Amino acid sequence: MTIIPLASERTPTMNPSAFWLRETSYWLPLHFPLSAWNTHAPFAAWLIDVLRPASVVELGTHMGFSCFAFAEAAARLDHPMHIHALDSWEGDDHAGFYGDDVFNSVRAIADRDYPESIRLVRGWFSQSRPLFEDASVDLLHIDGRHGYEDAVQDYEEWRSVVRDGGVILFHDIAERGRGFGVWQLWEQLERDHPTFTFHHGHGLGVMAVGDVEAEPLRRLFAADEPTSDRIRGDYERLGAEIDLRGGFAPISEELHHSRLHASQLEDDVARLEQEAEELRAAMAFLEQRVRDLESSTSWRVTAPLRAARRVLPHRD
């Protein structure tokens, strides 16, 4: 499938001092399932680029946008990476409840486009925790149930899987109503850890675990307020363009399916024309056989007999 770049990606003008922007920051996602996470795709690609994680764990995949964004960035970078996407795929109070169609949709894309990198783990987070060893994960994305107690439980249970030098992401840190409480946990973590906060797209918190190894990440966490504002502004603008493109994604997908349908119809027409041509040839052959028979000697000799049979009365 052709990957359409962002408008900015076609003629990127990188400022060497803008360490927070790379070519990856301008990439357009390949998949646009419905998501509250889509405006963070530019930062996700940048993060995969600078962190180069070998192992990613995502707590809360839902329709798969963030998972696919991570996987697509790694694929385009030709970077080997495994993503363990954990979810019950049943829904909750905030995301709503749904049937197996959502899980089946995510699995179909994962199996088709990222069979070597995405592993779907269906079940409750606590049940899946024993599957992962401590310090075995480079990037942990926490985006499960959004109540304060739920967020604390997820963090406390899964913090130890992240190696020293890794990163933890928290989504929805800007949401303060409707029972959301991730913001409370985030305010507590900011006091004792290197962090960076995005306010757009419902908020995304970026937290370092231990000593940060990648130089761009060290600079991100150490950025002063004016630089932080520039970083947030740039990624909010890039995210807005992703959001705009995402709005056209269903139309593009429908157009793609329409073209496939038209192609199938063209194939059907070609097949029917071929069959019609074969029937015409068969009819021509039979007509010639009839003409040959009618002009034969035996046909002429038996003509009086055929005529007599037509005039004689029929007897049962």
Side-chain angles (χ1 to χ4, degrees), residues 10-191:
R10 299 189 189 111
T11 54
T13 54
M14 301 296 181
N15 182 346
S17 64
F19 65 88
W20 60 90
L21 292 176
R22 294 190 172 200
E23 181 183 351
T24 46
S25 307
Y26 299 86
W27 285 353
L28 182 69
L30 188 60
H31 301 285
F32 279 94
L34 183 65
S35 176
W37 214 88
N38 55 1
T39 57
H40 297 299
F43 178 76
W46 180 88
L47 181 60
I48 296 300
D49 191 6
V50 300
L51 182 62
R52 298 291 171 132
S55 179
V56 177
V57 167
E58 178 171 75
L59 305 181
T61 297
H62 198 194
M63 294 186 178
F65 183 90
S66 53
C67 177
F68 299 148
F70 293 137
E72 184 60 27
R76 293 186 66 178
L77 290 165
D78 196 23
H79 170 64
M81 183 178 76
H82 291 96
I83 305 174
H84 309 275
L86 280 62
D87 206 305
S88 67
W89 278 284
E90 295 178 358
D92 57 35
D93 295 337
H94 292 121
F97 294 92
Y98 42 83
D100 285 344
D101 54 322
V102 173
F103 173 73
N104 292 334
S105 174
V106 174
R107 181 173 58 183
I109 294 175
D111 290 348
R112 183 190 67 211
D113 295 341
Y114 313 106
E116 302 299 323
S117 59
I118 294 180
R119 174 195 178 200
L120 304 183
V121 183
R122 192 171 190 180
W124 304 112
F125 300 156
S126 296
Q127 295 171 336
S128 302
R129 177 61 183 86
L131 301 176
F132 300 88
E133 297 180 359
D134 286 352
S136 63
V137 172
D138 305 292
L139 175 62
L140 173 65
H141 176 215
I142 298 179
D143 193 16
R145 289 176 59 87
H146 296 93
Y148 173 71
E149 292 80 6
D150 298 311
V152 169
Q153 179 180 351
D154 291 343
Y155 172 71
E156 291 181 345
E157 286 186 352
W158 289 87
R159 158 64 183 84
S160 61
V161 304
V162 184
R163 67 167 177 83
D164 189 64
V167 169
I168 302 178
L169 299 178
F170 298 82
H171 190 225
D172 289 308
I173 60 172
E175 291 292 337
R176 293 181 175 244
R178 299 182 297 125
F180 281 80
V182 187
W183 65 271
Q184 295 175 270
L185 173 61
W186 184 245
E187 288 187 350
Q188 296 167 10
L189 295 175
E190 281 185 304
R191 302 169 192 157

Side-chain angles (χ1 to χ4, degrees), residues 176-243:
R176 293 181 175 244
R178 299 182 297 125
F180 281 80
V182 187
W183 65 271
Q184 295 175 270
L185 173 61
W186 184 245
E187 288 187 350
Q188 296 167 10
L189 295 175
E190 281 185 304
R191 302 169 192 157
D192 302 315
H193 301 84
T195 61
F196 189 87
T197 301
F198 290 104
H199 304 300
H200 71 280
H202 307 279
L204 184 70
V206 188
M207 189 184 88
V209 175
D211 296 325
V212 180
E213 300 169 358
E215 174 63 20
L217 280 172
R218 285 202 297 268
R219 297 179 68 182
L220 178 75
F221 294 125
D224 57 25
E225 199 55 38
T227 304
S228 296
D229 287 341
R230 290 180 60 195
I231 296 171
R232 281 190 278 265
D234 283 345
Y235 275 105
E236 184 170 5
R237 283 188 291 273
L238 289 170
E241 189 167 353
I242 293 289
D243 202 28

